[in-house]
């Protein structure tokens, strides 16, 4: 009987992760897929914060989050989508054996660019969610670049977590769609423990 509450909590957490992931994919689709990565990430983070899976946010900050979106979010999400599609296209060319030397170069180049850009964008979203009033507009991204360079292990953490998520997608697409987005953003926020100086 002692295991029942622990089992209940586990089922509730899985349910929260599934609902959070549905929020993520819903926001991504509502944003038109190619412009929605930043909005979808913030939607999943807001849901997890409301359910106290992550540290709860105070009322004024919550009002700001519903009113403000991340600066240049749609443009940055568009670049993210273009780089992701470039990675997929180069991998497809390599798999099909088309122009093997050029395809190999494109795979390495596109994966490197996507990895760096994805890490940068994830850190920017995390910093913005933590304290969006501290840095606005281009200063948020200048601070993010500085944060990325000064904290290489945190950048590596984001990168390793991203490739782990891609590994889950490769082996089990259903698990990826229903659990990974919520788990990913929860682990990002808890793992980074982003604190911006006042």
């Amino acid at each position: 009987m002692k295991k029942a509450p622990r089992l209940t909590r586990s089922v509730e957490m899985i349910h929260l992760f599934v609902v959070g992931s549905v929020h993520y994919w819903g926001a991504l689709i509502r944003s038109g897929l190619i412009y929605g990565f930043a909005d979808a990430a913030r939607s999943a983070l807001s849901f997890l914060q409301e359910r106290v899976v992550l540290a709860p946010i105070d009322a004024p900050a919550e009002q700001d989050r519903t009113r403000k979106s991340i600066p240049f979010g749609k443009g940055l999400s568009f670049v993210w989508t273009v780089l992701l599609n470039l990675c997929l296209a180069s991998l497809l060319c390599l798999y099909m054996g088309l122009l093997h030397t050029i395809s190999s170069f494109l795979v390495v180049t596109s994966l490197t660019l996507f990895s760096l850009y994805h890490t940068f964008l994830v850190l920017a979203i995390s910093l913005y969610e933590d304290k969006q009033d501290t840095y606005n507009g281009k200063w948020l991204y200048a601070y993010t670049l500085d944060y990325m360079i000064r904290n290489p292990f945190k950048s590596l953490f984001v990168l390793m977590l991203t490739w782990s998520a891609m590994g889950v997608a490769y082996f089990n697409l259903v698990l990826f769609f229903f659990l990974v987005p919520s788990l990913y953003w929860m682990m990002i926020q808890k793992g980074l423990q982003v604190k911006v100086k006042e």
Side-chain angles (χ1 to χ4, degrees):
M1 294 300 290
K2 291 181 180 178
K3 290 186 178 179
R6 188 176 294 174
L7 180 63
T8 305
R9 283 196 301 272
S10 299
V11 170
E12 287 173 355
M13 288 299 289
I14 290 171
H15 176 260
L16 283 176
F17 290 144
V18 169
V19 174
S21 296
V22 169
H23 275 268
Y24 175 86
W25 295 116
L28 194 63
I29 291 167
R30 280 193 306 275
S31 298
L33 294 175
I34 60 172
Y35 299 108
F37 178 74
D39 290 338
R42 295 191 69 228
S43 175
L45 284 169
S46 297
F47 176 81
L48 293 172
Q49 286 167 335
E50 286 168 11
R51 300 303 186 276
V52 199
V53 177
L54 292 172
I57 49 180
D58 57 359
E62 188 172 357
Q63 290 170 359
D64 286 344
R65 279 181 175 79
T66 56
R67 192 170 64 250
K68 295 179 184 177
S69 60
I70 187 166
F72 315 113
K74 292 197 183 303
L76 292 167
S77 297
F78 177 75
V79 173
W80 182 88
T81 306
V82 168
L83 287 173
L84 178 63
N85 285 327
L86 183 62
C87 285
L88 294 174
S90 59
L91 285 169
L92 184 63
C93 286
L94 186 65
Y95 178 75
M96 293 175 67
L98 301 172
L99 303 170
H100 186 71
T101 307
I102 296 172
S103 296
S104 300
F105 174 74
L106 276 175
V107 166
V108 172
T109 305
S110 60
L111 285 175
T112 303
L113 285 173
F114 177 76
S115 299
L116 290 171
Y117 187 78
H118 177 79
T119 303
F120 172 78
L121 190 53
V122 167
L123 287 172
I125 293 167
S126 297
L127 291 168
Y128 188 72
E129 280 299 305
D130 188 54
K131 293 210 176 172
Q132 63 183 5
D133 293 329
T134 307
Y135 294 95
N136 290 317
K138 62 185 178 183
W139 296 111
L140 168 68
Y141 301 110
Y143 178 77
T144 302
L145 190 60
D146 179 64
Y147 185 89
M148 188 175 168
I149 293 167
R150 286 178 186 264
N151 299 282
F153 290 109
K154 290 187 178 183
S155 300
L156 188 61
F157 170 74
V158 171
L159 195 57
M160 296 305 292
L161 200 57
T162 300
W163 289 114
S164 298
M166 292 298 107
V168 172
Y170 180 77
F171 289 109
N172 192 331
L173 205 54
V174 174
L175 198 64
F176 174 78
F177 275 105
F178 287 106
L179 287 177
V180 168
S182 292
L183 280 169
Y184 179 82
W185 286 104
M186 182 198 74
M187 291 176 77
I188 288 291
Q189 287 299 91
K190 289 195 172 193
L192 292 178
Q193 292 295 308
V194 174
K195 295 295 176 192
V196 181
K197 292 179 181 177
E198 298 288 352

